[in-house]
Amino acid sequence: MAYVFFGYFAGVIALTAVLVVALRNPVYSALSLLVMFFHVAGLYVTLRAEFLFAVQLMVYAGAILIFYLFAVMFLTEKTPDRYHIQSWGSLLIGGAIIVEVVVLIGQHGISFGSSVARTAAPSPSEEGNTESIGQLLYTSYLFPFEVASLILLVAMIGAVVLSKKDLPEVPPS
Amino acid sequence: MTELGLRFAITLTQISVIVGIVIVTVLLLTLAERKVLGWMQDRMGPMEVGPYGSLQPFADAIKLFFKEDIMPAGANKFLFTAAPLLALIPAFIGFAVIPWGPDETWEIGGIAVKPFVISDINVGILYILAFASLGAYGIILGGWASNSKYSLLGGLRSAAQIISYELNVGLSIVGILILSGSLSLVHITNAQEGWFWNWYAFKPWAPQFIALAVYVISTVAETNRVPFDLPEAESELVAGFFTEYSGLRFAFFYLAEYANMVLVSCVASALFLGGWNAPYPGTLLSLIGFPSLAWIENTMWFAFKTYSFLFLFFWLRATLPRLRYDQLMRFGWKVLLPIALANIVITSIIVFIQEQLK
């Protein structure tokens, strides 16, 4: 049963991830990304990580992707074609990544069964994983957590500063 | 296999009962809204269909059902059809974790069933928030797919508005999560048993009524209701994101908006006002000797609290004028957000001191 669900979610994730870059209409790309986020959330459910499931939907699907759609609808009115010009450099980078993937798989082999067994192994604690995540974040991972929040704060302030237009002085009438 | 089948049948029954109740509530609301608005503005409201207009919702439903289904030229057919469904599903899916009555377990055919909640998952409130945030897709895609500038502007406005105010909804309930130590709605309502001062809105030393005010204001904005109905401001945008919609598709958007109202009212009464708990300990029915019927009283209290919130929605609509768009954004980010954050800080300090004094 776990294999069926994992296969379904993984398959749809791979398919929609390809569609995000392959579809010509940017709105469809965004929607395909939405479907992908849903299935990633589904994977979290099979891993019994309900908190991550909810956060995945809320943050990625509910907030970030809406902003993508927002931008796409504003910027690509009738001419989405300019997003489909690929430079030769991307072919080079893509080729390098494919070679890397092939090399990695060649070294370790595809251990599909063992990875599924590993994910099923950690028994969910009785208290639920929201509490465990909170405990871990504020004890073992306190420093990385604070660093991450500081980086996000800096990014936020940077965005505010960048988007702030210097309004011309309005002469008092 | 029979056990699985029985479980399946029970869950399906629960789902259909709850969806039925919600749809009937929505039908009632469409009439109640016009009646309440009418009385508040010294009018009669609908009077033509049935006695005192009581059959008006059915007349409306039949009218919408038989209307011609118009799709504007140049509209994106697939998304134009999908958008109303994308708005409707998130509005209904949240009801799965709402506890409608006492946390009892009934034995049906050898299977323990919780009759008053479809699924008691331990991230219940996050689940509702997650799916509520997806409701924006229906609106923004409906606006875009209509191939009309009014629809597009309405959809974009609504996306910005929903994201801004959903943040305040999330932050306003954090105080309750600190007090209860759980994300499960069943657990949160159980913790508010006893007299009404055990409800989190009036909880001694850390009352959450300010959070309740922030929550209600933000949900009014999130469901696109007056005074925050900028996405469908008819004086500026014709009818906003559903300008081009007609017939059943329009009815779906309408249904989604009202189901969302019911959902946020249910959440408000479950989180802040004790859910199905009566304002006194226990129930009157069990006091006079019918403990097996106590759930009727409890569900009635839940219904009463939810309908009070829904009445508040109508009341606000009859009272307040619409805000301007920049006022709406400034109010959300510069007034409600700091209040919600301050509420979290104060609540956690009080809870910390209480823990130390124990």
Side-chain angles (χ1 to χ4, degrees):
Chain A
M1 202 65 171
Y3 282 106
V4 177
F5 281 116
F6 176 78
Y8 166 69
F9 285 123
V12 177
I13 288 170
L15 180 73
T16 47
V18 170
L19 284 180
V20 171
V21 288
L23 285 170
R24 296 203 72 80
N25 187 334
V27 174
Y28 284 152
S29 295
L31 285 184
S32 153
L33 197 59
L34 174 66
V35 177
M36 198 196 85
F37 284 152
F38 256 96
H39 285 79
V40 173
L43 265 190
Y44 288 141
V45 173
T46 62
L47 297 174
R48 301 205 166 195
E50 305 94 0
F51 182 74
L52 277 182
F53 155 79
V55 169
Q56 165 84 15
L57 284 189
M58 216 182 319
V59 174
Y60 286 95
I64 293 178
L65 192 59
I66 296 241
F67 279 121
Y68 282 3
L69 264 182
F70 209 97
V72 161
M73 285 177 185
F74 261 133
L75 298 181
T76 66
E77 280 184 354
K78 298 270 184 269
T79 54
D81 286 338
R82 65 192 168 110
Y83 292 92
H84 292 278
I85 303 163
Q86 293 279 337
S87 69
W88 287 100
S90 59
L91 193 69
L92 205 68
I93 298 173
I97 291 175
I98 287 178
V99 168
E100 189 185 348
V101 168
V102 169
V103 167
L104 279 178
I105 291 177
Q107 276 180 353
H108 298 282
I110 300 178
S111 52
F112 184 71
S114 75
S115 75
V116 170
R118 233 187 303 123
T119 54
S123 64
S125 50
E126 281 297 309
E127 57 189 4
N129 59 22
T130 313
E131 284 89 337
S132 357
I133 287 178
Q135 286 288 350
L136 278 179
L137 271 188
Y138 284 98
T139 52
S140 318
Y141 297 99
L142 183 60
F143 185 66
F145 177 67
E146 292 296 338
V147 169
S149 47
L150 191 70
I151 292 173
L152 284 176
L153 181 68
V154 170
M156 200 164 78
I157 294 172
V160 170
V161 170
L162 283 177
S163 66
K164 205 169 172 64
K165 275 178 259 168
D166 292 319
L167 293 174
E169 291 272 318
V170 180
S173 54
Chain B
M1 203 59 207
T2 52
E3 196 199 321
L4 192 68
L6 188 60
R7 265 184 203 287
F8 201 63
I10 290 171
T11 310
L12 270 186
T13 318
Q14 280 181 309
I15 292 172
S16 32
V17 166
I18 283 178
V19 169
I21 290 176
V22 172
I23 288 180
V24 168
T25 307
V26 169
L27 279 181
L28 285 176
L29 284 183
T30 57
L31 177 67
E33 171 159 37
R34 275 180 275 175
K35 278 290 185 189
V36 169
L37 281 182
W39 290 328
M40 284 184 176
Q41 296 161 355
D42 208 7
R43 300 183 277 116
M44 301 292 275
M47 290 294 281
E48 291 297 322
V49 191
Y52 291 94
S54 55
L55 296 178
Q56 186 69 38
F58 299 100
D60 286 340
I62 293 168
K63 183 196 81 172
L64 284 172
F65 197 78
F66 286 108
K67 266 206 162 180
E68 188 191 349
D69 189 25
I70 301 168
M71 196 177 288
N76 185 318
K77 282 206 179 65
F78 171 63
L79 288 181
F80 192 79
T81 313
L85 295 174
L86 277 176
L88 194 62
I89 292 169
F92 272 94
I93 211 165
F95 288 102
V97 294
I98 300 275
W100 302 80
D103 186 21
E104 291 173 2
T105 321
W106 290 1
E107 197 88 13
I108 300 175
I111 297 173
V113 178
K114 283 190 173 180
F116 300 112
V117 56
I118 295 178
S119 170
D120 173 21
I121 58 178
N122 57 9
V123 288
I125 185 63
L126 279 183
Y127 169 87
I128 290 182
L129 290 181
F131 278 101
S133 65
L134 297 179
Y137 280 102
I139 292 173
I140 190 171
L141 288 174
W144 182 79
S146 301
N147 192 28
S148 147
K149 51 180 171 280
Y150 297 119
S151 303
L152 181 62
L153 286 175
L156 291 175
R157 271 190 182 187
S158 117
Q161 175 177 336
I162 288 181
I163 289 175
S164 308
Y165 277 86
E166 153 192 302
L167 191 66
N168 298 330
V169 171
L171 288 176
S172 65
I173 62 170
V174 171
I176 287 176
L177 304 184
I178 293 171
L179 285 172
S180 70
S182 170
L183 290 168
S184 154
L185 280 171
V186 174
H187 187 277
I188 290 174
T189 35
N190 286 347
Q192 303 177 65
E193 229 169 353
W195 290 97
F196 63 87
W197 55 77
N198 282 341
W199 298 354
Y200 284 131
F202 315 114
K203 188 91 174 166
W205 307 116
Q208 298 293 315
F209 56 84
I210 296 172
L212 175 61
V214 173
Y215 178 86
V216 170
I217 295 172
S218 310
T219 49
V220 171
E222 217 190 346
T223 48
N224 297 328
R225 298 283 304 176
V226 180
F228 302 108
D229 62 338
L230 274 298
E232 41 194 274
E234 60 274 324
S235 52
E236 309 158 23
L237 291 174
V238 190
F241 58 90
F242 51 50
T243 303
E244 306 290 346
Y245 278 89
S246 62
L248 263 189
R249 289 189 239 258
F250 174 78
F252 276 7
F253 272 126
Y254 209 75
L255 191 59
E257 178 178 331
Y258 278 79
N260 258 326
M261 275 167 63
V262 180
L263 180 64
V264 295
S265 305
C266 286
V267 174
S269 48
L271 288 179
F272 292 94
L273 295 185
W276 44 266
N277 286 301
Y280 38 82
T283 50
L284 289 180
L285 275 173
S286 61
L287 203 66
I288 60 171
F290 299 105
S292 57
L293 293 179
W295 61 271
I296 298 178
E297 194 176 337
N298 283 327
T299 43
M300 284 304 123
W301 272 110
F302 185 78
F304 173 70
K305 289 167 189 170
T306 306
Y307 278 87
S308 308
F309 275 110
L310 290 168
F311 178 75
L312 185 69
F313 275 92
F314 302 154
W315 193 1
L316 288 174
R317 177 167 174 188
T319 313
L320 295 172
R322 183 181 298 130
L323 269 74
R324 221 171 48 218
Y325 191 65
D326 59 321
Q327 294 170 330
L328 168 97
M329 282 298 169
R330 196 173 306 142
F331 184 65
W333 287 99
K334 294 192 175 172
V335 180
L336 287 184
L337 187 68
I339 292 176
L341 287 175
N343 179 58
I344 295 175
V345 173
I346 293 169
T347 308
S348 29
I349 291 174
I350 292 174
V351 169
F352 179 73
I353 292 173
Q354 276 182 329
E355 297 273 313
Q356 297 299 309
L357 290 183
K358 258 178 205 167

